[in-house]
Amino acid sequence: MATLLSRLGQFSARRAWLVIIVWSLVLVAAVGGALGLGGKLSSTLTLDGTPAQSVIDQLEKSFPKASRGSAQMVFHKTDGTAFTATEISAIDAALAKTSDIIGVDGVLNPFTGQAAKDAKVAQLTASRAQLDAAPAQMASAQAEIDAGRAQIADAEAKLASGQSQVTAGETQATAAHADLSAQKTALQSALASAVAAGAPQAQIDGLNAQLQQVMGGLAQVDASLQELASTQSTLDQGRTTLDAQKAQLSPAAATLAASRSELPAQTQRLEWGEALLSAATNYRAVSVDNQTALGAVYFTTPLSEVTPETKQAVIESLSGLSLPGVTVDFSKDLATSLGTIVGPGEVAGLVIAGIVLFVMLGTLIAAGLPVLTALLGVGVSALATFALSTVIEMNSSTPTLAVMLGLAVGIDYSLFILNRHRRQLKAGMSVRDSIALANGTSGSAVLFAGITVMIALLALNLTGIGFLGLMGNVAAAAIAVAVLAALTFTPAIMRFTGLKVLSRKERRARDLVLAGEAPQESLRTATKKKREVWAAKRPIMALVLTVGVLLVATVPFGSMRLGLADGSSEPVESTQYQAYQLTSEGFGAGQNGQITAVVSFDRALAGDDLLKTQATVATTLMGVDNVQAVVTGEPSPDKRTLAFSVVPTEGPAAQSTETVVTDLRAEASSIAADTGGQLGVTGMAAVNIDISQKLASALPLYLATVLGLSILLMILVFRSIAVPIVASLGFLLSVFATLGAVTAVYQWGWLGTVFGVHDPGPIMNFLPTILIGVLFGLAMDYQLFIATGIREAYVHGQTARAAITQGVRAGRAVVVAAAIIMIAVFGSFAFAESATIRPMGFGLAFGVLVDAFLVRLLLVPAALRLLGRAAWWLPRWLDRLLPDLDVEGAKLERAKSKDSFTLVA
C-alpha cells in the first residue's frame, strides 16, 4: 500500500498540471450537474414500514384527500384590535389567490371556518331547545286531541238520542196516520151509504162531523211527520259535521303519535351531534379575542413530496398581503429554511482553521494548501450530492453533514501529508522525493483513516433506516473524495509550492543541513532527552482525572429524550418561530402539532350509523389524557374511512404529546369493540415516536458492529489485544460524554444563550447514531496517529514506558492541530441556520475535543503506561495469521532512508 501511494504521489507531482486540470474538470462537471439538474432537498423525515407511515400510505390509496400535505399560516393583529371586515375580506382574497397555485389543493379560510362552526353551534343549540320543549308541546297537543275526542263523543251521544226520538215519533205518527186514514175511509163509506139510503140529516151531519174530525187529525199527523223529517235532516247534517271533525282529529293524532315515537331517535341524533361538538369545543380557527387567525393550505400530495418551489409560491402569495397592523407568519412545515450549505459560521470556522495552520506551519502558503484541498473536495462532493438529490429523495441535513465532515477531514488529511513533507524537507530531502515518501507514509495513514471513517458511515445502513443510511453513504462519498484529493491534489500543489511551504528561517536551517553545517539529528534520539509526558508520569492521576471528567459529562445522557425539532427550536426572529408562538398563545401549543387518527371499516357508513360511529370514536379519543380537542372530518368517498384531527394540550415535541400518541394507539381495541373499526395514528408526534423506536432498536446492533470493527481494525494495525480494548473503552466514554453534553445544552438548556437554545427540547432522534458513526471514525484517526508512534518506538527497541513519551511527542502536535481544526469547523456548524445541524455540529466538536485531548492524549497513554509490556501482547498464533498492514509505511521509510538520519511518522 505504501509503495503504491508513493508512486501515486510521484505521479501527481510529476504531472501536477494534469492532476489540477482533471480536478478542475471534475469540479466544473459537478457545478454543471448541480445547476443543470437543480436538485431538490426535503425538510421532512419519512420512514417506510412504521405504523405512522403505513397510515399515510393507506390514506393515499383509500382517502387521498386525508393524506394530502398541509401547513398552517398565522394572521395576527399587532395593534391589539380585532380583525375588521375590510381586513377579513383582504385575507379571503389572498387565500383565494393562493388556492390557484399549482400543487395547492385548497385553503382553509379561518374566518369562514370559524363562522361555520359558530353556525353549527347555534343550530345545535336551537335543536336542543326544540327537543327540550317537545314533551310539553306534545302533552298540550295530546290534551287538545283528547278534548276534541270528548266533544265528539258527547255530540255523538246527543245525535243518537235525537235520532231515537225522531224514529219513535215517526213510528207513532205513521201508525196514527194509518189509523186515521182507515177511519176516514170507513166514515166516507158510511156517509155515502147513509146519503144513498136517505138517512136522516142528523145522522148524515153526525157522520160529516166525525169525518171532519178525522181529517183534522190527519192534518196534525202530517204536520208532525214534516217536523220529524226536518229534525232528521238536522241530525244528518250534524252527523256529517261530526264525521268531518273526526276525520280532522285522526291525522293530528297520528302525527302526534309519530312525533312521539320519533322523539327518542331525534334525541339520540342530537346527543351524537352534541358529542362531536363537545369534542371540538376547544378547537378554534380565530382566537377568542379575534386578533389571531389560523389558516391552512392543503397540497395535492403528501408534505414530503411537496416541492420547495410550491411552498415558496404559497409564502410569496400570502406575503404580498399588505395590511397595516396585520402580520402573516408561516409554520415550520411550510417555511422550513434549508439554509445555506456554507454560511458565515462555517466561513468563521475556516478562518480559525487557517489561523491554526498558520501558527503551526509558519507560512501562508503552507496554511492555505490544506484549506484549498479541503474546499476542492467539499465543492465536488457537495455539488454532486445536490445534483444527485434530483433522482434520490434526500433530507436537507444530508449534504450538510457531508460538507461538515469533508471540510474537517479534508483539512486534516492534507495537513498530515503536508506536515510529513515539511519535516522531510527540513531534514534535507529533495522536494520530489519528499512528496513521494510523505504520500507513501502519512498517505497510508490517511488512506486507512479515511477507510475507517467511511466504514463507520457506511455501517449506518445496518440500521435499516433509509434516510440515515443515505446520510452515511453521502458522507462516506465525501470522505472518499477528501482522501483522493489529499493523495493526489495535495502532492500536485506541493510540487508547485516547492520549498515555499517552509518559512525563511526553516529554509535557512535546511541549507545548513545540506551544507553539513548542522547535524541530521534523529528524532528518536532527540526525544530521549525530553521529559516524560504527564500521562505516562502520573498514569493513575491521569486516568482518574479523565475518566472522572468524562463520567460527569455523561450524567445528563441518562435523561436524554429523543424527538424531532418543532417550530420552537427555530431562530427567534424566524417566521417559523413566530408562527409557533402566536399559535400557542392564541390556540394552545397543541395546535402546532395535530395528530391524525384514522379509523377504517369493512362496511360503508351512512345515516345514523355514520353519526353514531363518529360520535363514539370522537368521545373515545377525547377521553385520552392531555387531548384538548378532537375534530371530525368528512368520511372517505367510499364511506369506509374516517379521519379525526386530535389536538394535544402541548406542542408536538412535548413528552405529554408522545404519551398521547401511545394512549391513542392503546384505544384501538376499545374502538374496534365499539365500532368494528381499525384505528391508526399518524402525524408529526407519531412519526417521531416510530422513528425514535426504530432507531433505538437498531442502535445496539450498530454500536456492537462499530465496536467490533474498531477492535478488529486496531488488532490488525497495532498487533495487540489490550490497545484495541483500551481505545474502544475510551471511544465509549467519548460518545457517552458527548451525548451528555448535547443533552445538557439542547435539552436542559445549559449555556443556551451561547448556542442559541431559547426553547430547550428533545434531542434529534437520529443524532446519537450519527455521532457514534462519525466519532468512531475520527477517534480511530487520532488513535492511529498517536498509538502507531508509540508502537513504532516500542518495536524499534524503546521500553514500553519510554515508547509512550516518544510516540505521544511525535504525533501530539499534528493531532492537536488537527483536533483544533475539526473543533473549529464542527463548532461553526453549531451556529448554523438549521436547527437540525446545530446540535450535530456541537456534538461533533465536543466529541473531538474530549476524544483527542482527554482520551487519546491522556487516557490511552496512561492506560498503556499501567499495562506496560502487556499492552503489546498478542498470541503467537494470531500474530502469524494477521497480515502486516504497515499503515505508517515504516518499510517504505526504511527502504528510502539514509544512514545519516531517520524519519518517523
Side-chain angles (χ1 to χ4, degrees):
M1 180 191 299
T3 301
L4 181 62
L5 292 177
S6 176
R7 292 174 180 174
L8 179 61
Q10 285 180 328
F11 173 82
S12 299
R14 189 169 61 251
R15 298 285 188 268
W17 276 116
L18 176 62
V19 171
I20 293 174
I21 291 173
V22 169
W23 273 107
S24 300
L25 292 175
V26 171
L27 181 60
V28 170
V31 172
L35 295 178
L37 297 177
K40 179 184 73 172
L41 299 176
S42 170
S43 60
T44 59
L45 296 177
T46 59
L47 185 58
D48 293 336
T50 60
Q53 186 62 41
S54 297
V55 172
I56 296 175
D57 296 340
Q58 169 201 338
L59 289 176
E60 286 190 76
K61 297 176 182 178
S62 63
F63 200 175
K65 187 176 181 180
S67 70
R68 59 184 179 170
S70 65
Q72 296 181 158
M73 70 284 298
V74 184
F75 303 93
H76 179 63
K77 289 296 296 292
T78 58
D79 56 7
T81 63
F83 284 102
T84 65
T86 301
E87 292 166 343
I88 292 174
S89 176
I91 292 173
D92 179 63
L95 287 170
K97 180 181 177 183
T98 302
S99 65
D100 295 331
I101 295 174
I102 297 176
V104 173
D105 191 42
V107 296
L108 170 64
N109 185 319
F111 302 100
T112 303
Q114 187 62 48
K117 182 189 175 184
D118 293 341
K120 183 66 174 178
V121 172
Q123 180 183 356
L124 284 175
T125 302
S127 297
R128 169 52 69 184
Q130 291 176 355
L131 280 179
D132 290 343
Q137 293 174 349
M138 288 182 180
S140 175
Q142 186 65 55
E144 292 178 2
I145 290 173
D146 292 342
R149 284 174 174 170
Q151 292 174 356
I152 290 172
D154 183 62
E156 284 182 335
K158 290 180 179 180
L159 283 174
S161 176
Q163 185 66 53
S164 298
Q165 293 176 359
V166 169
T167 301
E170 286 180 339
T171 301
Q172 292 176 358
T174 301
H177 189 280
D179 182 56
L180 288 174
S181 293
Q183 290 179 20
K184 174 183 175 183
T185 301
L187 286 173
Q188 288 176 340
S189 176
L191 181 61
S193 296
V195 172
Q201 186 63 40
Q203 183 182 357
I204 292 173
D205 289 340
L207 289 172
N208 280 326
Q210 290 178 3
L211 181 61
Q212 290 300 319
Q213 186 179 3
V214 169
M215 292 293 290
L218 281 174
Q220 290 178 354
V221 169
D222 288 339
S224 296
L225 286 173
Q226 289 179 357
E227 183 179 353
L228 287 172
S230 175
T231 301
Q232 183 64 53
S233 177
T234 300
L235 288 174
D236 290 340
Q237 291 178 359
R239 186 166 297 283
T240 300
T241 301
L242 190 60
D243 289 341
Q245 290 177 349
K246 288 172 67 177
Q248 292 176 355
L249 187 62
S250 294
T255 300
L256 180 60
S259 298
R260 183 179 286 109
S261 63
E262 181 66 18
L263 185 59
Q266 291 179 342
T267 303
Q268 184 64 74
R269 294 189 195 100
L270 180 62
E271 289 174 354
W272 291 333
E274 288 176 333
L276 292 175
L277 182 62
S278 175
T281 298
N282 293 326
Y283 178 84
R284 296 186 60 87
V286 180
S287 62
V288 176
D289 61 8
N290 199 25
Q291 296 179 15
T292 307
L294 193 60
V297 57
Y298 300 98
F299 301 101
T300 56
T301 61
L303 193 62
S304 60
E305 300 175 16
V306 179
T307 64
E309 291 77 14
T310 300
K311 293 181 179 181
Q312 187 60 34
V314 171
I315 293 175
E316 291 175 357
S317 174
L318 293 173
S319 297
L321 183 65
S322 179
L323 290 173
V326 178
T327 61
V328 186
D329 289 294
F330 305 95
S331 68
K332 187 175 185 291
D333 292 331
L334 186 61
T336 294
S337 173
L338 302 180
T340 55
I341 294 181
V342 178
E346 291 73 28
V347 172
L350 286 176
V351 171
I352 295 174
I355 294 174
V356 173
L357 289 170
F358 178 75
V359 171
M360 177 184 179
L361 303 176
T363 70
L364 289 175
I365 292 178
L369 195 156
V371 175
L372 178 62
T373 303
L375 289 176
L376 172 67
V378 165
V380 170
S381 57
L383 292 170
T385 300
F386 189 65
L388 189 63
S389 66
T390 303
V391 294
I392 299 178
E393 184 178 344
M394 190 177 297
N395 185 267
S396 58
S397 302
T398 301
T400 307
L401 176 63
V403 169
M404 193 187 308
L405 293 177
L407 278 176
V409 303
I411 293 174
D412 282 1
Y413 291 167
S414 181
L415 171 63
F416 293 152
I417 297 174
L418 175 62
N419 186 61
R420 178 60 180 261
H421 173 59
R422 281 170 34 84
R423 292 171 58 200
Q424 292 168 170
L425 289 180
K426 287 189 288 186
M429 188 176 290
S430 67
V431 172
R432 290 192 176 183
D433 288 344
S434 178
I435 290 173
L437 184 58
N439 222 51
T441 52
S442 291
S444 295
V446 165
L447 179 61
F448 178 82
I451 292 174
T452 304
V453 179
M454 290 170 59
I455 291 174
L457 291 170
L458 292 173
L460 289 172
N461 290 282
L462 294 175
T463 61
I465 299 173
F467 72 85
L468 199 58
L470 181 61
M471 292 178 72
N473 295 340
V474 171
I479 298 298
V481 172
V483 170
L484 188 58
L487 295 176
T488 57
F489 187 76
T490 298
I493 297 298
M494 289 192 303
R495 170 66 181 85
F496 283 117
T497 57
L499 295 177
K500 292 182 180 179
V501 296
L502 301 177
S503 65
R504 293 181 180 179
K505 181 178 180 181
E506 290 170 334
R507 290 199 293 271
R508 287 195 297 268
R510 179 178 186 275
D511 291 339
L512 293 177
V513 170
L514 291 175
E517 299 178 9
Q520 297 176 339
E521 185 178 31
S522 168
L523 180 61
R524 291 193 179 90
T525 302
T527 56
K528 291 180 182 179
K529 303 175 183 178
K530 297 180 180 179
R531 290 190 302 171
E532 189 174 26
V533 294
W534 182 78
K537 187 177 182 180
R538 297 285 188 271
I540 295 178
M541 185 180 297
L543 277 177
V544 172
L545 176 64
T546 54
V547 172
V549 170
L550 293 174
L551 289 178
V552 170
T554 301
V555 170
F557 173 62
S559 63
M560 174 181 282
R561 188 168 65 86
L562 301 180
L564 292 174
D566 56 25
S568 65
S569 63
E570 297 294 325
V572 174
E573 66 278 1
S574 68
T575 184
Q576 304 96 296
Y577 182 82
Q578 295 301 320
Y580 186 95
Q581 292 300 324
L582 289 172
T583 301
S584 300
E585 294 169 4
F587 310 96
Q591 289 278 22
N592 291 291
Q594 298 179 24
I595 302 166
T596 300
V598 178
V599 186
S600 303
F601 300 86
D602 56 6
R603 69 183 191 278
L605 302 173
D608 286 352
D609 185 24
L610 171 61
L611 186 59
K612 176 183 178 182
T613 303
Q614 288 177 324
T616 300
V617 174
T619 302
T620 301
L621 300 181
M622 194 64 193
V624 172
D625 290 341
N626 295 310
V627 170
Q628 176 178 320
V630 176
V631 182
T632 306
E634 293 295 326
S636 62
D638 63 1
K639 308 297 184 182
R640 293 173 179 267
T641 304
L642 301 180
F644 301 83
S645 183
V646 181
V647 182
T649 55
E650 294 188 274
Q655 178 67 56
S656 64
T657 303
E658 293 183 15
T659 304
V660 167
V661 173
T662 303
D663 292 344
L664 287 175
R665 287 174 170 168
E667 295 292 340
S669 59
S670 174
I671 289 177
D674 294 339
T675 67
Q678 301 298 317
L679 173 67
V681 180
T682 188
M684 182 177 178
V687 169
N688 166 34
I689 289 177
D690 293 343
I691 292 180
S692 298
Q693 289 178 346
K694 181 77 172 178
L695 287 165
S697 62
L699 191 57
L701 173 62
Y702 179 67
L703 183 57
T705 301
V706 167
L707 287 177
L709 181 64
S710 166
I711 293 174
L712 176 61
L713 289 176
M714 285 187 287
I715 289 176
L716 288 172
V717 173
F718 303 123
R719 312 189 77 78
S720 164
I721 299 296
V723 171
I725 293 176
V726 170
S728 297
L729 292 176
F731 162 68
L732 283 177
L733 286 173
S734 297
V735 167
F736 292 143
T738 299
L739 294 176
V742 170
T743 302
V745 172
Y746 293 93
Q747 184 176 315
W748 291 4
W750 290 8
L751 300 177
T753 55
V754 176
F755 296 100
V757 184
H758 43 78
D759 290 81
I763 305 303
M764 185 65 63
N765 48 27
F766 61 83
L767 180 61
T769 308
I770 289 290
L771 287 179
I772 288 173
V774 175
L775 288 179
F776 164 73
L778 300 180
M780 293 307 100
D781 286 357
Y782 299 132
Q783 179 71 16
L784 178 70
F785 289 108
I786 291 294
T788 49
I790 298 174
R791 178 178 180 275
E792 284 297 310
Y794 179 73
V795 170
H796 283 80
Q798 296 289 334
T799 64
R801 181 170 179 173
I804 294 173
T805 296
Q806 184 167 312
V808 170
R809 290 190 179 278
R812 181 172 56 190
V814 69
V815 167
V816 169
I820 293 175
I821 291 170
M822 282 198 174
I823 292 169
V825 174
F826 290 148
S828 65
F829 282 87
F831 303 95
E833 182 179 355
S834 171
T836 303
I837 296 300
R838 289 199 297 265
M840 193 180 299
F842 171 83
L844 290 175
F846 187 87
V848 169
L849 174 68
V850 298
D851 192 84
F853 291 96
L854 295 182
V855 175
R856 307 305 153 187
L857 293 177
L858 291 178
L859 188 148
V860 170
L864 295 183
R865 164 69 177 81
L866 292 176
L867 290 171
R869 295 184 60 183
W872 305 104
W873 174 81
L874 184 70
R876 292 184 179 180
W877 62 268
L878 184 58
D879 186 49
R880 290 192 298 268
L881 291 176
L882 294 178
D884 187 0
L885 297 181
D886 189 26
V887 174
E888 279 292 337
K891 294 181 180 179
L892 177 66
E893 178 186 343
R894 287 193 294 269
K896 292 191 174 185
S897 63
K898 299 179 181 180
D899 294 335
S900 56
F901 62 92
T902 301
L903 294 175
V904 297

